[in-house]
Amino acid sequence: MTEKRPETAPETSSAEDFTLRDATIRDAAALDALWQAAGLTRPFNDSHQDIGFALAGPASTILVLEREGRLGASVMLGHDGHRGAVYYLSADPALRHLGLGTRIMRAAEDWLKVRGVWKLNLMIRPDNEGVRAFYETLGYEVEERIVMSRRLKD
C-alpha cells in the first residue's frame, strides 16, 4: 500500500507567483477551508464570525496570497492603537516550503508599520514547536508573559 501524499507545488513555484490582496467576505468559505487544512480552527471559535469581525473594522484585516483563484496563505491581523496582533497565519499544507508564510508575515508587518504600529505580539500554543521555530527564523523572540482571558459572549 502506498502512502497518499498531498498535492505539491510545481518545482518552479515561489511565493512571488502569488498575488497579495485584502480578503473580502466572499473569501470566508475558502479561508475557513484553509484554516481547517492548516489545523487552526477550534470548536470554541466561530471562524466565520472572526472573519466578519476582522473585515468590518478599520484597525483589522485579513491578507491573502492567491494564485489562479486558490488561496495559498492568509493572516488575520489588527492593532489596538498601541500594538499589533496576528491570528490565523496559515499556508496551504500542499504548498509549504514556497515561502508563503514568510511573505504573508512580512506583508502583515508592513500593514501594521504603515499604520504607525511599532510592535507586534503573537501567541503560540506551547506544544507548537514548528510554528515557534518558524517565527524565530523571522526574528521573533519569546517574552515571558502570562496571557489571561475571559469570554465576554455566552
Side-chain angles (χ1 to χ4, degrees), residues 4-152:
K4 184 177 179 184
R5 296 183 175 260
E7 174 190 338
T8 57
E11 292 296 320
T12 58
S13 290
S14 77
E16 298 309 313
D17 295 333
F18 289 75
T19 301
L20 176 69
R21 66 173 176 82
D22 289 309
T24 70
I25 200 65
R26 291 183 306 277
D27 295 309
L31 285 165
D32 186 61
L34 176 62
W35 296 347
Q36 286 187 38
L40 297 178
T41 57
R42 297 294 182 264
F44 48 83
N45 284 344
D46 180 341
S47 60
H48 288 274
Q49 181 180 357
D50 290 346
I51 291 164
F53 192 75
L55 296 177
S60 58
T61 195
I62 301 171
L63 301 176
V64 297
L65 289 173
E66 179 183 47
R67 181 179 66 189
E68 298 173 1
R70 178 180 177 185
L71 298 186
S74 73
V75 63
M76 179 186 291
L77 66 147
H79 67 87
D80 60 9
H82 182 64
R83 295 216 170 89
V86 162
Y87 304 93
Y88 291 111
L89 174 71
S90 59
D92 183 328
L95 301 173
R96 293 232 169 106
H97 307 293
L98 295 179
L100 296 174
T102 299
R103 181 166 176 222
I104 198 90
M105 209 38 215
R106 296 301 186 212
E109 293 169 350
D110 290 345
W111 189 94
L112 291 165
K113 286 178 195 174
V114 165
R115 287 154 181 82
V117 177
W118 58 90
K119 185 176 183 182
L120 172 56
N121 293 329
L122 50 91
M123 294 181 283
I124 304 167
R125 290 185 178 89
D127 61 340
N128 202 339
E129 290 297 322
V131 169
R132 179 178 173 168
F134 166 76
Y135 283 116
E136 286 173 343
T137 65
L138 297 181
Y140 287 80
E141 300 172 344
V142 173
E143 292 185 346
E144 295 298 324
R145 303 288 188 269
I146 296 173
V147 176
M148 297 177 69
S149 68
R150 180 170 186 260
R151 297 213 180 263
L152 302 177

